[in-house]
Each structure stands twice: as structure tokens, then as C-alpha cells.
Amino acid sequence: MNKLKTKAIFWLLLIVSVSFSSCAQEETKSTNKTKDNSEIKVNKEMNMENKMKIEIWSDVMCPFCYIGKRNLEKALTQFSDREHIEVIWKSYLLDPNTPETSDKSYAQHLVEYKGMSEQQVDGMLAQLTQTAKQAGLDYDFDKAQLVSSKKAHQVIQMAKTKGLGNQAEEVMFKAFFTEGKNIADKSSLISIGEEIGLSKDEVETALSDNKYAEMMNADIAEARQIGVQGVPFFVFNRKYAVSGAQPPKAFLESLEKAFGEWREDNPAVKLDITQGQSCKPDGTCD
């Protein structure tokens, strides 16, 4: 069979398979309504792309959120089923009224806007710096520019649509707490975005298209609905929640408990595959 005929057969098979797939979806909807629970369970078992979700509400200007991220990652390295975990980042604003420009240091802002003494602030920041170091992070509050994080969240929302949510959080945290970058400045965000893996045009779209601000606000509204009162806030499989930057051991315990229950509802699919002639997406058949 020559290559032309082979590709013609491939595309014919593809068209037929799409037609059957469409019909199968309609039949499945009907089946789920009319057949017993055992058949519904079989459909769930065959969902091979399913993963247990960990949702994290955070603000990139929250020092404990970065520490919590790192501690969760350490727990995941000790978790044998980590390939079956999906981490989803959610936006949260600790202070929606923080201005986009500021000529004050992080410490000065806390003194003036939070009513704390300079001695209290210095002690608190020193302790935070030490806690961060224990998690493997370098905080530099002398360089940190305490400005609104709204635009940063819009860029993160864009990154999430590209499958770059985790990278976005990491780069944005580092930019704020270690590098002292202005996360409300457009040029800074373009540079940060390119480090994440976004193009200049994508960052500009994130800042100009109201859709990404709406996505940020939807996360914040959802946080209110489930009772989030501070960040970081971790939700495992929509059943268990962990508030604050817990140590890796605490995260690991929550992971194991939540995943054990999730696995009971989502048994692993193991297929014994017998190979035969088949067609590939590139149009070749053998």
C-alpha cells in the first residue's frame, strides 16, 4: 500500500472515529441516567487522566505563602504518588487597597499602615527571614517594594491558561521577596513574564484584557465562599484544608490521608496491552 493510500485510510478512520465518539458521548449520558451504579463506577475507573487536586489560595506579597509553597514541595518529594497530584493556584489579595506605587520600604509600610512599632517590625521581619532560610529561601525585606499585587495576579492567571501556574508563582515570589522587583510595574512584569515563559504580548494582554482581572476576582469570591480568612490556604481534594505555612511533615500527613480516600474513588487503571497494526496522529499506519 503506497503512502497516499495509507494516509487516505488514516483520515477516513479518523472521521469515522470522531463520529462514533460523538455518539458514544450521547449514549454515555443516557447510560449514566438509566443504568445501575456499577456501570457508572466503571466509567469513573476508565478516567485515566484524573488527578487529585490541591488548590492553594495565596498572595505573592505574603511571606508565609512562599514558605508554604516550598514546604509543600518538600512533602511532595516524599510522596510516592506525586505524579497523580495536580496543584492549582488561586488568587487572593491580602490588602486590595495597597497602591501601585510606593516610596516606602516594606518595614515603613508596616509601621505606618499596620500601627506597629519599628522595633516590632524589625523583630518580625528578622524572624520571617530566618524562617524562610530554614525553608531554603532568601528574603530581602530591605529591597522588597510593597505595592499592589493585582497586576501580578492577572499575569499569573494568564500563565495558568498556558499550564505555567506553578512557574508563575515561583518566579513572582522570588521577584518580590528576593530580587526586590516592582510587581505592579508593567516593564517589570514583562521581564518577569518572559522568565515564566510568557511572551511580551501575552503579558500585555493579561494587563489589558479584563478577563484576567475577572478570573482573579472569581478566585477571591470562591475563597470567601469556602471561608478562607488568611493565606496560604491549601485544600486537598475539596475535603481537607490546611491553613498557614505548615512544616513538610504536616503537609505529607494531609496528602496521604486525602489521597488514600481519593484513590478509593478513583482506582488506578492498569492495562495489559497487546500491540497490533495501528495508525498514528502523524498520518502513518503500520
Side-chain angles (χ1 to χ4, degrees), residues 240-256:
Y240 300 101
V242 173
S243 180
Q246 299 290 338
K249 182 180 178 181
F251 281 125
L252 185 59
E253 290 173 354
S254 295
L255 263 170
E256 291 172 342

Side-chain angles (χ1 to χ4, degrees), residues 121-215:
V121 169
D122 290 343
M124 182 188 72
L125 295 183
Q127 186 174 2
L128 276 172
T129 301
Q130 183 59 36
T131 301
K133 191 174 292 293
Q134 292 171 355
L137 302 171
D138 292 319
Y139 281 7
D140 190 342
F141 288 105
D142 290 336
K143 292 166 61 177
Q145 300 183 53
L146 197 54
V147 293
S148 173
S149 60
K150 290 180 181 178
K151 289 182 177 178
H153 281 293
Q154 289 172 229
V155 173
I156 291 171
Q157 292 292 346
M158 163 63 85
K160 284 167 61 176
T161 68
K162 306 293 181 179
L164 297 170
N166 199 61
Q167 293 94 317
E169 291 287 341
E170 180 65 29
V171 173
M172 204 69 75
F173 277 132
K174 185 179 179 181
F176 184 84
F177 285 106
T178 303
E179 299 170 339
K181 293 182 179 179
N182 186 337
I183 60 170
D185 176 70
K186 181 178 177 180
S187 60
S188 293
L189 287 171
I190 289 173
S191 175
I192 294 169
E194 289 174 342
E195 187 177 349
I196 292 166
L198 299 174
S199 68
K200 177 183 177 181
D201 288 344
E202 286 172 332
V203 173
E204 290 180 339
T205 297
L207 299 177
S208 62
D209 190 335
N210 195 49
K211 163 184 161 183
Y212 299 97
E214 291 174 350
M215 292 167 67

Side-chain angles (χ1 to χ4, degrees), residues 4 19 22 88 90 119 136 182 194 262 272:
L4 183 59
S19 298
S22 178
I88 301 173
K90 304 271 192 172
Q119 186 176 7
N182 186 337
E194 289 174 342
W262 178 87
D272 186 1

Side-chain angles (χ1 to χ4, degrees), residues 19-84:
S19 298
F20 275 118
S21 175
S22 178
C23 293
Q25 290 176 6
E26 294 301 318
E27 184 179 350
T28 299
K29 292 178 183 177
S30 177
T31 300
N32 287 344
K33 292 179 181 179
T34 59
K35 294 191 178 182
D36 61 27
N37 290 333
S38 63
E39 292 192 10
I40 295 175
K41 184 178 180 181
V42 168
N43 289 337
K44 289 173 65 177
E45 288 177 352
M46 293 305 293
N47 185 359
M48 288 177 274
E49 298 300 320
N50 201 11
K51 292 186 178 183
M52 192 194 85
K53 294 177 175 58
I54 300 176
E55 297 162 288
I56 309 171
W57 275 265
S58 76
D59 191 350
V60 294
M61 54 189 276
C62 162
F64 287 112
C65 290
Y66 198 7
I67 294 168
K69 179 180 186 294
R70 193 60 88 242
N71 286 348
L72 174 65
E73 289 167 346
K74 290 179 180 178
L76 284 168
T77 63
Q78 303 172 52
F79 187 61
S80 59
D81 288 298
R82 55 186 173 274
E83 70 273 16
H84 301 297

